[in-house]
Amino acid sequence: MTITRVLRQAALVTALAGTPLAASANDYHIGVTVPSADHGWTAGLLWWAQRATEELAEQYDDVSFTVLSASSGTAQVSNVEDLMIRNIDALVILPHNPATLQQVIAEAYESGIYTVVVDRELEEPSQHVFLAGDNPGLGEEAARYMAEALGGQGDILVLEGPSIPINSQRVNAFNAVMEDYPGINILDSQTTDWNPQRALSVTEDLLGSNSHVDAIWAGDDDVLIAALRAVEENQRDDIQLIVGGGGSQRVIEMIRDDHPVVRGTVTYPPNMIASAIALAVHGVKGERLGNMYHGVPSRVILAADLITADNVEEFYQPDAAY
């Protein structure tokens, strides 16, 4: 599935957001709000939110859903306020910016709304469940793989994300592992906001100011694609390795096809939003999860799996949105 098609689907999610996906007489109303699809990972996020709410609405006839997306933290505050006016029983939110959303999420939580926060942790916890990928694990797995692939020696560039906690967790963990490899020299570490256009520009600048680079770590697969483009356009044959993060099917296909430079990425699945919505259904209904003897866990961290040629077939899903 192309990103264009995913973005169109994302627009449809937003356009239909005012109408619950099941009859209004249902007993439980769950509101979902996520950032707008500004790149591949968030496009996948919206795709999975749509898929999960449609499937769960069919499975549970006493639950309805409203899905909203927001292009900024301020817009997402309005999303949450709108959902509260609609008398939701549960809120599932991946905060655009945790600091901006802290107060309104706390208001929802303190008002008795069952709250699931996804991916981006609040400074002051205000939720029943926090679910996320393993951000430190993503940085650790990428660093260890790169260091070993380079034989413990080499000059590398780091392409960071925006100034939010999950980026810091990834980068700090990456740097901590690299301290064990004194032969690895981090030439520079620059933010890209996980935006492909900015990543392209930043990578071009970094390549221009560094005559020799052995490898690049991009903590996001869309950034990896942009970095690869910069490498190819600048005809840099010194770069041996580019490692990403996220586990996009486009990068997985490159690994699967034995790309000479793109040989590894680390999972950070956008379908975490689907898992969060499912947890909200069980939580708001007061159900146990599977055969657990307690209720829904209060904290769920998904594993960070390194994807290389050795295990790529396990992660290959050609029809996935991301």
Side-chain angles (χ1 to χ4, degrees), residues 176-189:
V177 170
M178 285 304 184
E179 290 177 1
D180 295 332
Y181 297 89
I184 299 291
N185 177 33
I186 298 177
L187 297 169
D188 208 336
S189 187

Side-chain angles (χ1 to χ4, degrees), residues 237-253:
D237 57 7
D238 51 324
I239 296 169
Q240 309 169 38
L241 178 67
I242 306 178
V243 175
S248 74
Q249 292 305 301
R250 186 174 177 186
V251 170
I252 286 173
E253 286 176 358

Side-chain angles (χ1 to χ4, degrees), residues 40-71:
W41 195 86
T42 49
L45 196 75
L46 275 165
W47 187 86
W48 278 106
Q50 164 112 352
R51 176 172 172 175
T53 51
E54 289 176 348
E55 291 180 350
L56 290 167
E58 290 182 2
Q59 186 176 353
Y60 297 94
D61 60 9
D62 59 346
V63 182
S64 63
F65 301 88
T66 298
V67 178
L68 299 175
S69 65
S71 60

Side-chain angles (χ1 to χ4, degrees), residues 29-321:
H29 182 194
I30 297 177
V32 181
T33 173
V34 296
S36 299
D38 56 1
H39 72 305
W41 195 86
T42 49
L45 196 75
L46 275 165
W47 187 86
W48 278 106
Q50 164 112 352
R51 176 172 172 175
T53 51
E54 289 176 348
E55 291 180 350
L56 290 167
E58 290 182 2
Q59 186 176 353
Y60 297 94
D61 60 9
D62 59 346
V63 182
S64 63
F65 301 88
T66 298
V67 178
L68 299 175
S69 65
S71 60
S72 68
T74 302
Q76 197 171 33
V77 170
S78 297
N79 279 180
V80 177
E81 292 172 341
D82 182 33
L83 290 169
M84 291 174 69
I85 291 172
R86 300 188 198 198
N87 295 317
I88 56 171
D89 300 289
L91 170 68
V92 179
I93 180 169
L94 193 153
H96 203 289
N97 184 306
T100 305
L101 275 296
Q102 174 75 61
Q103 181 176 342
V104 73
I105 294 174
E107 289 174 4
Y109 173 67
E110 291 167 4
S111 72
I113 294 172
Y114 190 89
T115 304
V116 181
V117 174
V118 185
D119 184 44
R120 303 172 184 179
E121 195 159 14
L122 303 173
E123 184 174 350
E124 296 292 334
S126 298
Q127 73 269 329
H128 294 84
V129 182
F130 175 68
L131 182 146
D134 185 356
N135 285 289
L138 189 153
E140 290 168 0
E141 290 290 341
R144 194 170 296 111
Y145 171 68
M146 290 182 71
E148 293 176 0
L150 294 172
Q153 301 286 330
D155 298 324
I156 68 173
L157 296 173
V158 173
L159 302 177
E160 298 189 29
S163 299
I164 55 177
I166 63 172
N167 174 69
S168 299
Q169 292 166 12
R170 295 179 187 187
V171 174
N172 290 344
F174 182 90
N175 292 339
V177 170
M178 285 304 184
E179 290 177 1
D180 295 332
Y181 297 89
I184 299 291
N185 177 33
I186 298 177
L187 297 169
D188 208 336
S189 187
Q190 294 288 334
T191 183
T192 66
D193 289 331
W194 292 331
N195 178 285
Q197 288 302 316
R198 182 168 184 184
L200 177 62
S201 176
V202 168
T203 307
E204 288 176 340
D205 289 344
L206 290 172
L207 293 177
S209 57
N210 293 278
S211 60
H212 178 83
V213 177
D214 292 295
I216 298 174
W217 177 49
D220 173 88
D221 278 353
D222 286 350
V223 172
L224 179 153
I225 298 298
L228 177 63
R229 177 182 167 187
V231 168
E232 292 174 342
E233 290 180 350
N234 285 271
Q235 299 181 336
R236 293 290 294 266
D237 57 7
D238 51 324
I239 296 169
Q240 309 169 38
L241 178 67
I242 306 178
V243 175
S248 74
Q249 292 305 301
R250 186 174 177 186
V251 170
I252 286 173
E253 286 176 358
M254 290 181 178
I255 297 170
R256 191 168 180 260
D257 293 339
D258 295 322
H259 193 282
V261 175
V262 179
R263 291 183 277 133
T265 188
V266 183
T267 59
Y268 200 80
N271 65 8
M272 67 175 66
I273 193 69
S275 296
I277 295 168
L279 286 177
V281 171
H282 290 290
V284 76
K285 291 164 68 73
E287 298 174 345
R288 294 188 307 184
L289 190 63
N291 294 322
M292 294 183 67
Y293 285 85
H294 300 280
V296 174
S298 61
R299 190 174 183 87
V300 179
I301 304 299
L302 307 174
D305 295 312
L306 174 68
I307 303 175
T308 66
D310 293 336
N311 65 350
V312 67
E313 294 300 334
E314 298 175 24
F315 299 91
Y316 182 55
Q317 299 180 17
D319 296 328

